[in-house]
Amino acid sequence: MRYQEDGRAVVDTVVLSTQHAPGLDLAQLREAILEDVILPVIGEDLRSPSFRTLINPAGAFEIGGPKGDTGLTGRKIIVDTYGGACPHGGWGVLGQDATKVDRSGAYVARWLAKHVVAAGIAPRCTVQLAYAIGVAEPVSVAVDLHGHPGVDPEAVAQALTATFDLTPAGIIRELGLDRPIFAPPQRSATSAAMSRASPGNARRGSPAVRAALG
């Protein structure tokens, strides 16, 4: 969703993945989903000028359910988001490895927000990221400065994307998530995935973010 200055919301990107029968032609599937599901629901008046769809972006989706996607999710999710102070989309940080943006994306969103604050752009910042399976770059980067005047949040979001590599591989490389150092159990029990000493140096890239804003 993209929110206009007049408060009207329009849809910028639709990400939809659906399981299908083996051997089904992907082009045929995508056309059917677009014409029969997406466009009837999202009328022209609700689409942004840059409206796009990502339908089964990872390709064939023939195996689903527990056989295709299992793992631990949702453990201590409210603890992980500061007692619910930070909005989330239902992901689970713990129980995922760093190749899953449920985990690495949550880390880097907090890391980016710390850069904004460390750069003196605003005293408080929340960064929202959205990804689609099979697409390396985030499909959405949004910044909320919580009412801080004089700075355009969209300009800050553009500065962040221009400064940092927000692909899963880039996040893993930047935060060193290929060789994580896990906290002792007693600290994990109180701080969970978002400890005070989470990965990355928030001040190293702050001058670059400030410079990107002009």
Side-chain angles (χ1 to χ4, degrees):
M1 301 292 289
R2 185 179 299 276
Y3 295 89
Q4 309 295 327
E5 291 184 1
D6 60 4
R8 189 173 68 92
V10 293
V11 179
D12 184 76
T13 305
V14 175
V15 180
L16 192 155
S17 294
T18 181
Q19 189 177 356
H20 56 81
L24 185 65
D25 181 72
L26 275 178
Q28 180 183 353
L29 172 70
R30 287 169 175 151
E31 181 180 2
I33 292 295
L34 178 65
E35 297 295 332
D36 298 336
V37 178
I38 296 175
L39 296 185
V41 173
I42 304 173
E44 289 188 23
D45 59 321
L46 295 176
R47 304 173 205 159
S48 76
S50 58
F51 177 75
R52 62 173 177 160
T53 61
L54 298 170
I55 302 169
N56 282 40
F61 184 6
E62 298 177 359
I63 300 175
K67 184 178 180 181
D69 192 4
T70 61
L72 300 172
T73 60
R75 178 180 174 269
K76 297 179 70 175
I77 191 170
I78 296 303
V79 173
D80 290 342
T81 53
Y82 317 103
C86 183
H88 56 75
W91 41 262
V93 176
L94 300 172
Q96 308 274 357
D97 64 61
T99 63
K100 307 296 189 294
V101 289
D102 294 58
R103 186 163 202 160
S104 54
Y107 285 158
V108 84
R110 179 178 189 262
W111 188 66
L112 293 174
K114 290 173 70 177
H115 272 86
V116 172
V117 174
I121 296 169
R124 183 183 175 197
C125 176
T126 300
V127 174
Q128 175 264 331
L129 302 172
Y131 290 84
I133 296 173
V135 180
E137 297 286 347
V139 297
S140 173
V141 179
V143 171
D144 183 359
L145 300 178
H146 302 276
H148 185 68
V151 184
D152 180 8
E154 189 165 340
V156 177
Q158 292 173 357
L160 292 174
T161 56
T163 305
F164 300 107
D165 181 355
L166 300 182
T167 65
I171 297 169
I172 291 170
R173 181 171 56 251
E174 185 67 53
L175 300 185
L177 298 179
D178 55 342
R179 49 186 304 275
I181 306 301
F182 294 103
Q186 62 270 24
R187 198 174 88 192
S188 294
T190 57
S191 299
M194 296 297 186
S195 69
R196 292 178 178 84
S198 60
N201 182 344
R203 298 189 181 277
R204 180 189 57 74
S206 297
V209 176
R210 170 59 73 181
L213 276 172

